[in-house]
Amino acid sequence: MEVSGLDSDGKEFKNAEEMWREQIGEDGEQQEKKTQWYREGISYWEGVEASVDGVLGGFGNVNEVDIKGSEAFLQMLLSDRFPNARNNQHLVALDCGSGIGRITKNLLIRYFNEVDLLEPVSHFLDAARESLAPENHMAPDMHKATNFFCVPLQDFTPETGRYDVVWVQWCIGHLTDDDFVSFFKRAKVGLKPGGFFVLKENIARSDIF
């Protein structure tokens, strides 16, 4: 089904394919334009303050309600998928597009023994590393942020069978359609048996690409 829509500049496209052709080009020029498209995305975030308000686009006030909603959802999933988690089961999560470690610090590190952070913007990751240092946050004993990967989603390949949960929130829209599919195929290899993805994204209320 074809759905027309507008980009953030108000330009109209007949469908998503037409929009992508303009953004990343046809096959012959695609790699160069795609590289530039990703570079511009990183460049934008490099100019954003490493704070809750910064990573949430000026809507830092949604942080608390976001964490509460995610926690209720996560508790339901963990009780269903890992009922023996409190009996010395070692759980590991990957926080994709982690930014300054907002979700790790306020949620994931309280439920997982280890959390790895994946973020392509270096000053965000530096802020996360500082914020999640043991002396700067309260977390249960034996719960820690372990690895800080400064790598974009489209280039990341996880360690095989490391993660119980791969948490992907408010970042997957930065990928082209083909890289979206490729990312999940690679990331699936990083899941333990019984592991799963959590994908949390906003849904547009109007026809905007």
Side-chain angles (χ1 to χ4, degrees), residues 63-71 102-103 106-107 110:
N63 178 60
E64 185 175 350
V65 68
D66 168 57
I67 294 297
K68 284 183 177 179
S70 292
E71 183 165 22
R102 181 184 69 88
I103 298 168
N106 294 307
L107 177 63
R110 294 191 283 114

Side-chain angles (χ1 to χ4, degrees), residues 100-204:
I100 62 171
R102 181 184 69 88
I103 298 168
T104 291
K105 183 172 184 176
N106 294 307
L107 177 63
L108 299 179
I109 206 165
R110 294 191 283 114
Y111 290 89
F112 295 88
N113 302 89
E114 295 183 68
V115 183
D116 291 346
L117 287 79
L118 175 63
E119 169 57 49
V121 180
S122 60
H123 77 288
F124 285 173
L125 203 62
D126 289 341
R129 188 179 286 109
E130 180 179 352
S131 175
L132 291 162
E135 64 271 19
N136 291 331
H137 75 99
M138 298 291 292
D141 292 341
M142 303 303 292
H143 287 229
K144 62 181 179 178
T146 302
N147 295 304
F148 296 81
F149 301 114
C150 193
V151 181
L153 290 174
Q154 70 271 15
D155 294 334
F156 181 72
T157 299
E159 176 185 335
T160 300
R162 173 163 171 76
Y163 301 110
D164 297 284
V165 173
V166 173
W167 189 280
V168 187
Q169 179 172 342
W170 296 347
C171 62
I172 202 68
H174 288 278
L175 298 184
T176 62
D177 290 352
D178 56 337
D179 284 339
F180 176 101
V181 174
S182 178
F183 167 74
F184 281 103
K185 286 181 177 179
R186 294 193 315 276
K188 182 180 178 181
V189 177
L191 292 173
K192 297 177 185 177
F196 57 89
F197 292 102
V198 173
L199 175 60
K200 183 174 182 178
E201 278 296 339
N202 296 323
I203 299 175

Side-chain angles (χ1 to χ4, degrees), residues 29-45:
E29 60 179 347
Q30 192 173 77
Q31 189 55 52
E32 182 178 346
K33 289 196 73 171
K34 182 191 284 190
T35 299
Q36 179 62 24
W37 190 75
Y38 280 127
R39 187 180 298 121
E40 289 174 357
I42 296 296
S43 179
Y44 167 81
W45 289 108

Side-chain angles (χ1 to χ4, degrees), residues 56-104:
L56 292 180
F59 294 94
N61 59 299
V62 307
N63 178 60
E64 185 175 350
V65 68
D66 168 57
I67 294 297
K68 284 183 177 179
S70 292
E71 183 165 22
F73 185 62
L74 180 61
Q75 286 175 337
M76 178 181 66
L77 290 172
L78 291 178
S79 64
D80 178 60
R81 302 297 292 269
F82 305 119
N84 299 315
R86 295 189 180 277
N87 298 329
N88 297 318
Q89 186 174 359
H90 190 89
L91 297 180
V92 183
L94 175 65
D95 182 0
C96 297
S98 62
I100 62 171
R102 181 184 69 88
I103 298 168
T104 291

